[in-house]
Amino acid sequence: MAAVKDSYSGGCRCGAVTFAARRPALGANHCHCRSCRKMSGALAMTWATFPADAVSISGETKDDASSADVRWTRCASCGSLLFWRRLERDTIDVAFGAIDDPGDLVPSNHIWTSHRVARFTLDPELPEFPERGA
Ligand SMILES: [Zn+2]
Ligand SMILES: [Zn+2]
């Protein structure tokens, strides 16, 4: 089995925005919250969390604020949803599906299941949390 990676790269669908994460991920979750569903159009949004200062972003992005202290960041050209930040935290969530090669990084929890609208069976063995996970 390959070792857990300590760097990742990825980007949006059109290639205008790329990112690099130069430290290991802190974790990854499937988030079922209402904001993630609406912002992505998916039943859940899968995020990998990194230290904010480990992630560099290049290319033109566009931010949406769902609340004063939250930023959702997309490619300004193709609209791919790429990042989520709560501004006072020193972490950044990277859209898991935008990572080119996640290696052995796997989501470990379902979070915000209190907002779940449809049962889905991705990783049904994972722990579930009605709100923010551990
Ligand atoms: Zn793009
Ligand atoms: Zn969410």
Side-chain angles (χ1 to χ4, degrees):
M1 189 158 122
V4 173
K5 295 175 58 153
D6 61 6
S7 68
Y8 299 86
S9 61
C12 67
R13 186 205 58 79
C14 79
V17 176
T18 58
F19 61 83
R22 295 188 175 82
R23 303 233 291 278
L26 301 170
N29 293 301
H30 301 297
C31 185
H32 300 257
C33 82
R34 184 178 187 280
S35 292
C36 281
R37 286 192 288 103
K38 293 296 185 180
M39 291 300 248
S40 68
L43 287 174
M45 184 73 196
T46 306
W47 297 106
T49 303
F50 291 91
D53 61 3
V55 176
S56 58
I57 300 166
S58 66
E60 188 183 349
T61 58
K62 175 184 179 301
D63 280 359
D64 294 303
S66 59
S67 59
D69 61 339
V70 170
R71 295 292 180 277
W72 304 75
T73 301
R74 298 176 182 275
C75 170
S77 296
C78 72
S80 294
L81 177 58
L82 296 171
F83 309 104
W84 182 94
R85 284 173 298 147
R86 189 175 289 283
L87 297 180
E88 74 267 23
R89 288 190 201 149
D90 58 0
T91 58
I92 184 169
D93 283 2
V94 174
F96 197 107
I99 297 172
D100 290 332
D101 175 12
D104 286 348
L105 179 63
V106 291
S108 57
N109 295 298
H110 292 279
I111 63 173
W112 285 100
T113 57
S114 60
H115 288 195
R116 179 162 56 192
V117 291
R119 191 83 206 172
F120 78 114
T121 55
L122 183 66
D123 288 346
E125 74 278 11
L126 294 180
E128 298 188 359
F129 299 91
E131 293 190 0
R132 193 180 172 203

